[in-house]
Amino acid sequence: DAKTTQPTSMDCAEGRAANLPCNHSTISGNEYVYWYRQIHSQGPQYIIHGLKNNETNEMASLIITEDRKSSTLILPHATLRDTAVYYCIVRTINAGNMLTFGGGTRLMVKP
Amino acid sequence: DGGITQSPKYLFRKEGQNVTLSCEQNLNHDAMYWYRQDPGQGLRLIYYSQIVNDFQKGDIAEGYSVSREKKESFPLTVTSAQKNPTAFYLCASSTGGRSDEQYFGPGTRLTVT
């Protein structure tokens, strides 16, 4: 399974864009990149996913490099409620559609 | 409203007792999952089921058992064989498609003393 590497923690000022990086240099050609976030003591929440192309939805944008070895999740206007742990996950394909969670990035949005 | 429910939110048990955690979904999803989360750690997969009456072990299945008799329900039993059962348990479901997302329940925090 492709592993992901994320910074342990990041800070962002409220109202500014939060850019969360993720390295997945061993990703296979047919594996997707997923992003989830988890607010303290709650279940994880799906944010966005992509395969090759950049993606955007109402929550965030996902930028995947051309070689697919890294990606960046962008929260365009971070709010205090975006403070959470953000997980970058590469989909396991050999056993259904399980998700393998790493340590994630703890994003702290500050006033 | 559609969603995943887990009950109870907090559960306390004595060591040596089996305990069953409830997970119900009304999203008509085929696939369901159980994860365990320890403080400051990511989620680890315990069991998953892609269809009724079928389930597979995840990364840390020892000391746990599941059943999938109905599409809507995927209960997890934490047995006395589980060495460190105290944790936050999360249930999820998905349509089972190749690229679909998983929806998570609110979790059950189990404390065994």
Side-chain angles (χ1 to χ4, degrees):
Chain A
D1 299 341
K3 297 185 187 297
T4 61
T5 304
Q6 299 176 253
T8 303
S9 63
M10 292 181 63
D11 290 343
C12 177
E14 188 179 17
R16 305 298 294 269
N19 298 289
L20 292 93
C22 180
N23 287 322
H24 32 78
S25 58
T26 60
I27 191 170
S28 299
N30 56 354
E31 288 183 307
Y32 290 78
V33 179
Y34 280 73
W35 283 85
Y36 281 76
R37 72 179 183 184
Q38 187 176 23
I39 297 170
H40 183 61
S41 294
Q42 296 183 22
Q45 177 190 22
Y46 166 81
I47 301 173
I48 199 167
H49 74 279
L51 182 63
K52 296 180 183 178
N53 300 322
N54 298 336
E55 302 288 345
T56 295
N57 63 21
E58 65 278 4
M59 288 183 68
S61 295
L62 173 61
I63 308 299
I64 302 175
T65 58
E66 193 168 340
D67 63 7
R68 303 211 324 124
K69 292 185 177 182
S70 66
S71 61
T72 300
L73 178 74
I74 301 172
L75 307 178
H77 305 286
T79 70
L80 299 179
R81 287 176 292 183
D82 291 322
T83 292
V85 177
Y86 287 77
Y87 294 99
C88 169
I89 299 163
V90 172
R91 168 67 65 82
T92 305
I93 63 169
N94 62 344
N97 60 344
M98 295 188 300
L99 300 173
T100 301
F101 286 76
T105 296
R106 186 171 300 276
L107 175 69
M108 179 73 71
V109 181
K110 298 183 174 180
Chain B
D1 290 353
I4 302 176
T5 58
Q6 292 184 245
S7 60
K9 179 72 172 174
Y10 299 95
L11 190 55
F12 298 88
R13 280 294 182 271
K14 295 288 188 184
E15 191 174 331
Q17 293 179 334
N18 291 354
V19 58
T20 298
L21 310 184
S22 166
C23 178
E24 304 279 332
Q25 54 99 358
N26 61 3
L27 300 167
N28 200 33
H29 284 169
D30 287 315
M32 297 186 74
Y33 312 80
W34 274 105
Y35 294 87
R36 168 186 171 133
Q37 187 173 36
D38 294 288
Q41 305 295 314
L43 281 68
R44 292 184 290 168
L45 183 67
I46 304 172
Y47 268 98
Y48 66 101
S49 168
Q50 294 180 275
I51 198 168
V52 174
N53 292 322
D54 186 53
F55 48 84
Q56 283 78 43
K57 293 181 179 180
D59 299 323
I60 55 166
E62 185 175 352
Y64 299 98
S65 66
V66 293
S67 63
R68 187 85 187 278
E69 297 177 1
K70 298 187 299 181
K71 188 174 186 178
E72 312 81 56
S73 178
F74 191 39
L76 173 75
T77 297
V78 184
T79 75
S80 57
Q82 169 50 233
K83 301 300 182 189
N84 298 295
T86 295
F88 187 44
Y89 290 88
L90 288 154
C91 178
S93 72
S94 72
T95 61
R98 185 169 177 77
S99 66
D100 71 322
E101 63 266 27
Q102 292 183 15
Y103 294 86
F104 284 82
T108 292
R109 190 167 299 280
L110 173 65
T111 301
V112 177
T113 56

